[in-house]
Amino acid sequence: MTTVHPDHLVADYLRRLEAAASALPPERRTELIAEIRAHVEEALWEAGTSDEVTVRNVLERLGSPEEIANAAVGPSTAAGRTRGKLEIAALVALALSGVLPIVGWAIGVVLVLASGAWSTRDKAVGLTLGLLAALSVPAIAVAMPVGGGLGPFELLILVGWGVVSGPVSAAYLAYRLRRPSHPVVGVMPAASVAAGN
Amino acid sequence: MRCMEHGDARKTLTQLHRGTVEYCVLALLRDEERYGFDLVRALSQADGLVMSEGTIYPLLARLRRENLVTTTWRESDAGPPRRYYRLTDIGHAALATFTVEWMRFRDAVDTLLIQENGHDHRSP
């Protein structure tokens, strides 16, 4: 007879949910876990008992953590948020920001921040990478002053910021946008294609 | 699900189902606010509508992000704190639109499905 403490079952279930929902932005993951926890507490309170069998039944009716996480990750990307017009405009503005230095980059940044397709972390990493790449241009120029024909320092910052930063951010953000949602979803790809058109 | 051998039919029904459940949630909230567990249980009682209760919560979160519902956590008299869902004006409007469209859609599909059966029966 192998009895498991019911509390451990719930804790283990929530841990699996947290792991399965790792693709969600932190605030949404926290919200989901709070809801599921409240559901379990409510169900056990209503049952008036929290023995192992009751807990197992409550968890079984909830479905697997992976299934719940897929429902959370899937629909939001399937709702056309992955590659909407806003995201494409943002990536184009960043990638071509060399055409309109600084201004093009600024437009791209505003569009990226306005989009719900990237998590806050993706946005921060993407834009920071771009700025680091931009800083590396004058840094390299300063390190090798042999060229002689190099323009003023301001021009280098402009080149770095205007030409390098945008495309680097765009590349990272495009990569994050194409990151596959869980392949376990099954019918979801067809649904997302239908919803995206 | 047993009788749905045909993959495409199953896929179509899954998508139809997925799109419809959210309006069933809105419909449950039409006249009163409800807390999550209460909503999920009401949905579970409708045959074949919800297979895994937990998947309703991501749906509720999306409805909230889309401003169709608002939420408030509240202490309950005896049990644990509850998060109540209430329909917004946008939610009411979305539900009303869907209800009209759904009835038209349902009638159109019914007419064709039933007509086809009748036709089969009539021809010798």
PDB file of all heavy atoms in Angstrom, chain A residues 131-152:
ATOM      1  N   LEU A 131      20.910  47.416 -28.672  1.00  0.00           N
ATOM      2  CA  LEU A 131      21.686  48.555 -28.169  1.00  0.00           C
ATOM      3  C   LEU A 131      23.136  48.168 -27.895  1.00  0.00           C
ATOM      4  O   LEU A 131      24.064  48.931 -28.166  1.00  0.00           O
ATOM      5  CB  LEU A 131      21.032  49.122 -26.901  1.00  0.00           C
ATOM      6  CG  LEU A 131      19.735  49.888 -27.175  1.00  0.00           C
ATOM      7  CD1 LEU A 131      19.075  50.315 -25.871  1.00  0.00           C
ATOM      8  CD2 LEU A 131      19.999  51.113 -28.054  1.00  0.00           C
ATOM      9  N   LEU A 132      23.334  46.947 -27.379  1.00  0.00           N
ATOM     10  CA  LEU A 132      24.702  46.477 -27.150  1.00  0.00           C
ATOM     11  C   LEU A 132      25.454  46.384 -28.469  1.00  0.00           C
ATOM     12  O   LEU A 132      26.617  46.790 -28.571  1.00  0.00           O
ATOM     13  CB  LEU A 132      24.673  45.111 -26.449  1.00  0.00           C
ATOM     14  CG  LEU A 132      24.299  45.139 -24.967  1.00  0.00           C
ATOM     15  CD1 LEU A 132      24.253  43.722 -24.410  1.00  0.00           C
ATOM     16  CD2 LEU A 132      25.303  45.985 -24.189  1.00  0.00           C
ATOM     17  N   ALA A 133      24.770  45.859 -29.480  1.00  0.00           N
ATOM     18  CA  ALA A 133      25.396  45.752 -30.799  1.00  0.00           C
ATOM     19  C   ALA A 133      25.747  47.143 -31.314  1.00  0.00           C
ATOM     20  O   ALA A 133      26.818  47.357 -31.897  1.00  0.00           O
ATOM     21  CB  ALA A 133      24.450  45.039 -31.765  1.00  0.00           C
ATOM     22  N   ALA A 134      24.840  48.108 -31.057  1.00  0.00           N
ATOM     23  CA  ALA A 134      25.078  49.476 -31.518  1.00  0.00           C
ATOM     24  C   ALA A 134      26.305  50.069 -30.832  1.00  0.00           C
ATOM     25  O   ALA A 134      27.145  50.701 -31.457  1.00  0.00           O
ATOM     26  CB  ALA A 134      23.846  50.328 -31.223  1.00  0.00           C
ATOM     27  N   LEU A 135      26.423  49.824 -29.524  1.00  0.00           N
ATOM     28  CA  LEU A 135      27.565  50.360 -28.777  1.00  0.00           C
ATOM     29  C   LEU A 135      28.872  49.748 -29.253  1.00  0.00           C
ATOM     30  O   LEU A 135      29.931  50.373 -29.181  1.00  0.00           O
ATOM     31  CB  LEU A 135      27.385  50.086 -27.275  1.00  0.00           C
ATOM     32  CG  LEU A 135      26.360  50.973 -26.579  1.00  0.00           C
ATOM     33  CD1 LEU A 135      26.188  50.541 -25.128  1.00  0.00           C
ATOM     34  CD2 LEU A 135      26.820  52.433 -26.641  1.00  0.00           C
ATOM     35  N   SER A 136      28.802  48.522 -29.754  1.00  0.00           N
ATOM     36  CA  SER A 136      30.028  47.852 -30.166  1.00  0.00           C
ATOM     37  C   SER A 136      30.642  48.525 -31.391  1.00  0.00           C
ATOM     38  O   SER A 136      31.840  48.443 -31.602  1.00  0.00           O
ATOM     39  CB  SER A 136      29.749  46.375 -30.460  1.00  0.00           C
ATOM     40  OG  SER A 136      28.986  46.262 -31.637  1.00  0.00           O
ATOM     41  N   VAL A 137      29.827  49.218 -32.184  1.00  0.00           N
ATOM     42  CA  VAL A 137      30.375  49.863 -33.388  1.00  0.00           C
ATOM     43  C   VAL A 137      31.376  50.969 -33.033  1.00  0.00           C
ATOM     44  O   VAL A 137      32.541  50.906 -33.453  1.00  0.00           O
ATOM     45  CB  VAL A 137      29.244  50.388 -34.296  1.00  0.00           C
ATOM     46  CG1 VAL A 137      29.816  51.249 -35.407  1.00  0.00           C
ATOM     47  CG2 VAL A 137      28.467  49.225 -34.863  1.00  0.00           C
ATOM     48  N   PRO A 138      30.994  51.993 -32.228  1.00  0.00           N
ATOM     49  CA  PRO A 138      31.997  52.993 -31.839  1.00  0.00           C
ATOM     50  C   PRO A 138      33.114  52.389 -31.010  1.00  0.00           C
ATOM     51  O   PRO A 138      34.277  52.833 -31.101  1.00  0.00           O
ATOM     52  CB  PRO A 138      31.206  54.025 -31.031  1.00  0.00           C
ATOM     53  CG  PRO A 138      29.869  53.434 -30.771  1.00  0.00           C
ATOM     54  CD  PRO A 138      29.649  52.334 -31.751  1.00  0.00           C
ATOM     55  N   ALA A 139      32.798  51.343 -30.215  1.00  0.00           N
ATOM     56  CA  ALA A 139      33.831  50.720 -29.385  1.00  0.00           C
ATOM     57  C   ALA A 139      34.921  50.129 -30.267  1.00  0.00           C
ATOM     58  O   ALA A 139      36.113  50.317 -30.013  1.00  0.00           O
ATOM     59  CB  ALA A 139      33.201  49.638 -28.500  1.00  0.00           C
ATOM     60  N   ILE A 140      34.498  49.436 -31.320  1.00  0.00           N
ATOM     61  CA  ILE A 140      35.465  48.837 -32.235  1.00  0.00           C
ATOM     62  C   ILE A 140      36.261  49.937 -32.949  1.00  0.00           C
ATOM     63  O   ILE A 140      37.484  49.859 -33.104  1.00  0.00           O
ATOM     64  CB  ILE A 140      34.749  47.927 -33.262  1.00  0.00           C
ATOM     65  CG1 ILE A 140      34.236  46.675 -32.554  1.00  0.00           C
ATOM     66  CG2 ILE A 140      35.692  47.542 -34.413  1.00  0.00           C
ATOM     67  CD1 ILE A 140      33.288  45.850 -33.396  1.00  0.00           C
ATOM     68  N   ALA A 141      35.543  50.996 -33.330  1.00  0.00           N
ATOM     69  CA  ALA A 141      36.201  52.088 -34.042  1.00  0.00           C
ATOM     70  C   ALA A 141      37.263  52.751 -33.173  1.00  0.00           C
ATOM     71  O   ALA A 141      38.357  53.078 -33.638  1.00  0.00           O
ATOM     72  CB  ALA A 141      35.159  53.106 -34.490  1.00  0.00           C
ATOM     73  N   VAL A 142      36.926  52.920 -31.874  1.00  0.00           N
ATOM     74  CA  VAL A 142      37.881  53.545 -30.954  1.00  0.00           C
ATOM     75  C   VAL A 142      39.090  52.631 -30.754  1.00  0.00           C
ATOM     76  O   VAL A 142      40.234  53.073 -30.703  1.00  0.00           O
ATOM     77  CB  VAL A 142      37.198  53.851 -29.596  1.00  0.00           C
ATOM     78  CG1 VAL A 142      38.249  54.186 -28.537  1.00  0.00           C
ATOM     79  CG2 VAL A 142      36.220  55.004 -29.761  1.00  0.00           C
ATOM     80  N   ALA A 143      38.800  51.322 -30.693  1.00  0.00           N
ATOM     81  CA  ALA A 143      39.876  50.364 -30.473  1.00  0.00           C
ATOM     82  C   ALA A 143      40.837  50.296 -31.661  1.00  0.00           C
ATOM     83  O   ALA A 143      41.991  49.954 -31.500  1.00  0.00           O
ATOM     84  CB  ALA A 143      39.275  48.983 -30.183  1.00  0.00           C
ATOM     85  N   MET A 144      40.346  50.589 -32.850  1.00  0.00           N
ATOM     86  CA  MET A 144      41.221  50.525 -34.026  1.00  0.00           C
ATOM     87  C   MET A 144      41.229  51.874 -34.758  1.00  0.00           C
ATOM     88  O   MET A 144      40.577  52.026 -35.777  1.00  0.00           O
ATOM     89  CB  MET A 144      40.722  49.459 -35.012  1.00  0.00           C
ATOM     90  CG  MET A 144      40.415  48.129 -34.389  1.00  0.00           C
ATOM     91  SD  MET A 144      39.998  46.935 -35.682  1.00  0.00           S
ATOM     92  CE  MET A 144      38.603  47.706 -36.462  1.00  0.00           C
ATOM     93  N   PRO A 145      41.907  52.835 -34.202  1.00  0.00           N
ATOM     94  CA  PRO A 145      41.863  54.170 -34.813  1.00  0.00           C
ATOM     95  C   PRO A 145      42.784  54.277 -36.023  1.00  0.00           C
ATOM     96  O   PRO A 145      43.082  55.358 -36.487  1.00  0.00           O
ATOM     97  CB  PRO A 145      42.335  55.089 -33.680  1.00  0.00           C
ATOM     98  CG  PRO A 145      43.099  54.193 -32.743  1.00  0.00           C
ATOM     99  CD  PRO A 145      42.866  52.760 -33.087  1.00  0.00           C
ATOM    100  N   VAL A 146      43.230  53.154 -36.529  1.00  0.00           N
ATOM    101  CA  VAL A 146      44.203  53.134 -37.616  1.00  0.00           C
ATOM    102  C   VAL A 146      43.591  53.621 -38.926  1.00  0.00           C
ATOM    103  O   VAL A 146      44.278  54.177 -39.762  1.00  0.00           O
ATOM    104  CB  VAL A 146      44.762  51.696 -37.829  1.00  0.00           C
ATOM    105  CG1 VAL A 146      46.219  51.757 -38.201  1.00  0.00           C
ATOM    106  CG2 VAL A 146      44.497  50.859 -36.588  1.00  0.00           C
ATOM    107  N   GLY A 147      42.305  53.390 -39.032  1.00  0.00           N
ATOM    108  CA  GLY A 147      41.638  53.665 -40.304  1.00  0.00           C
ATOM    109  C   GLY A 147      41.822  55.084 -40.816  1.00  0.00           C
ATOM    110  O   GLY A 147      41.824  55.318 -42.003  1.00  0.00           O
ATOM    111  N   GLY A 148      41.957  56.043 -39.887  1.00  0.00           N
ATOM    112  CA  GLY A 148      42.171  57.411 -40.322  1.00  0.00           C
ATOM    113  C   GLY A 148      40.930  58.046 -40.911  1.00  0.00           C
ATOM    114  O   GLY A 148      40.491  59.095 -40.483  1.00  0.00           O
ATOM    115  N   GLY A 149      40.301  57.397 -41.868  1.00  0.00           N
ATOM    116  CA  GLY A 149      39.160  57.973 -42.570  1.00  0.00           C
ATOM    117  C   GLY A 149      37.865  57.908 -41.772  1.00  0.00           C
ATOM    118  O   GLY A 149      36.807  58.205 -42.303  1.00  0.00           O
ATOM    119  N   LEU A 150      37.934  57.532 -40.521  1.00  0.00           N
ATOM    120  CA  LEU A 150      36.710  57.400 -39.737  1.00  0.00           C
ATOM    121  C   LEU A 150      36.100  58.761 -39.442  1.00  0.00           C
ATOM    122  O   LEU A 150      36.817  59.713 -39.148  1.00  0.00           O
ATOM    123  CB  LEU A 150      37.005  56.684 -38.422  1.00  0.00           C
ATOM    124  CG  LEU A 150      37.320  55.182 -38.531  1.00  0.00           C
ATOM    125  CD1 LEU A 150      37.838  54.678 -37.213  1.00  0.00           C
ATOM    126  CD2 LEU A 150      36.100  54.417 -38.968  1.00  0.00           C
ATOM    127  N   GLY A 151      34.806  58.814 -39.508  1.00  0.00           N
ATOM    128  CA  GLY A 151      34.089  60.053 -39.261  1.00  0.00           C
ATOM    129  C   GLY A 151      34.106  60.406 -37.795  1.00  0.00           C
ATOM    130  O   GLY A 151      34.695  59.701 -36.980  1.00  0.00           O
ATOM    131  N   PRO A 152      33.407  61.482 -37.422  1.00  0.00           N
ATOM    132  CA  PRO A 152      33.329  61.874 -36.008  1.00  0.00           C
ATOM    133  C   PRO A 152      32.602  60.821 -35.173  1.00  0.00           C
ATOM    134  O   PRO A 152      31.843  60.022 -35.701  1.00  0.00           O
ATOM    135  CB  PRO A 152      32.544  63.185 -36.050  1.00  0.00           C
ATOM    136  CG  PRO A 152      31.896  63.230 -37.395  1.00  0.00           C
ATOM    137  CD  PRO A 152      32.714  62.396 -38.306  1.00  0.00           C
TER     138      PRO A 152
END
